[in-house]
Amino acid sequence: EMEAFLTDFEVEGSRMCNEMVKAEWGVATDSNNATNKEIYRQAILKNNNFTREWHAKAFAGVENLDRYPLDIKRQLNHLTKLGRDALSTNDLTELTDTQSGIENIYNIAKVCPYEKQDCDIASSDALSLEPELQEIMATSYDYDKLEYVWTQWREKSGKLMRPGYKKYIELNNKAADLNGNFEILL
């Protein structure tokens, strides 16, 4: 009976995982698209409900895990951890929005070239991390140029992501506490 339950969970979990990956891909490939962000947010909430529902089903009527074979106990043990889904809907939504915001900053950050430091960031002269800045950092031996692109990248991405990253860590720590895990340290 428990084996059949776990097989059903695997099938349904695979479907849910596929939906999540599609939604994540939509945001990853077009992080400024509000529709993609909403689809992703809804997929997160749907996954949250799915995880909680299957978690409750897994432990309804199970008094003694020791009666099951080791492979089933391992699978059931995995289901005891809700992960991020232990968070309230509001916290989970905030975590999703925070993560999307961090990723968006990273994805759209651009810097002016060393040779044209006063460029218009909206122009085609501006450099993205991939591939332009990575290429410069991988091939250049010009200290001043490397220092410039690194500093500018940090200004346009890292500093802007810091407040969101702090919130991201705070919410992940809250989920870890709810799951009985160790905190992620800053």
Side-chain angles (χ1 to χ4, degrees):
E1 181 179 316
M2 190 55 78
E3 287 179 21
F5 169 81
L6 291 171
T7 299
D8 290 345
F9 173 75
E10 184 176 347
V11 169
E12 293 302 316
S14 294
R15 282 193 197 118
M16 182 56 60
C17 182
N18 190 35
E19 282 185 43
M20 288 291 299
V21 168
K22 286 179 182 177
E24 287 173 348
W25 181 252
V27 171
T29 57
D30 189 2
S31 59
N32 280 329
N33 185 314
T35 302
N36 287 352
K37 287 180 183 178
E38 185 56 30
I39 290 169
Y40 180 57
R41 187 179 295 116
Q42 291 305 315
I44 293 283
L45 295 175
K46 184 177 177 182
N47 184 69
N48 175 270
N49 290 333
F50 169 84
T51 302
R52 287 173 175 266
E53 177 185 315
W54 281 87
H55 175 81
K57 286 180 188 176
F59 294 100
V62 174
E63 302 88 32
N64 183 5
L65 290 178
D66 290 333
R67 70 183 192 158
Y68 294 107
L70 184 60
D71 61 330
I72 290 179
K73 282 196 279 191
R74 282 189 199 145
Q75 292 174 49
L76 288 172
N77 186 45
H78 175 72
L79 285 174
T80 65
K81 305 295 183 195
L82 289 171
R84 293 176 167 187
D85 293 313
L87 294 170
S88 70
T89 302
N90 288 341
D91 283 344
L92 186 60
T93 300
E94 185 176 7
L95 177 61
T96 302
D97 292 345
T98 300
Q99 182 176 349
S100 293
I102 291 167
E103 290 170 357
N104 190 48
I105 291 168
Y106 183 86
N107 289 336
I108 66 169
K110 292 186 176 221
V111 303
C112 290
Y114 179 70
E115 297 79 14
K116 192 175 179 185
Q117 296 180 19
D118 60 346
C119 81
D120 175 14
I121 289 293
S123 76
S124 60
D125 293 336
L127 309 174
S128 298
L129 177 62
E130 294 177 21
E132 298 96 355
L133 295 178
Q134 284 184 343
E135 177 69 22
I136 291 168
M137 289 186 219
T139 61
S140 178
Y141 291 99
D142 182 338
Y143 177 84
D144 293 330
K145 185 176 189 175
L146 289 169
E147 180 183 37
Y148 168 80
V149 296
W150 175 254
T151 302
Q152 289 301 302
W153 174 253
R154 169 97 172 77
E155 291 292 322
K156 303 291 188 216
S157 65
K159 282 188 177 180
L160 299 176
M161 292 188 301
R162 186 173 179 86
Y165 188 72
K166 284 183 176 183
K167 189 64 176 174
Y168 174 83
I169 294 298
E170 175 188 315
L171 290 167
N172 273 295
N173 282 342
K174 187 173 184 178
D177 287 344
L178 292 169
N179 281 286
N181 296 328
F182 294 102
E183 291 185 352
I184 300 167
L185 302 175
L186 282 176

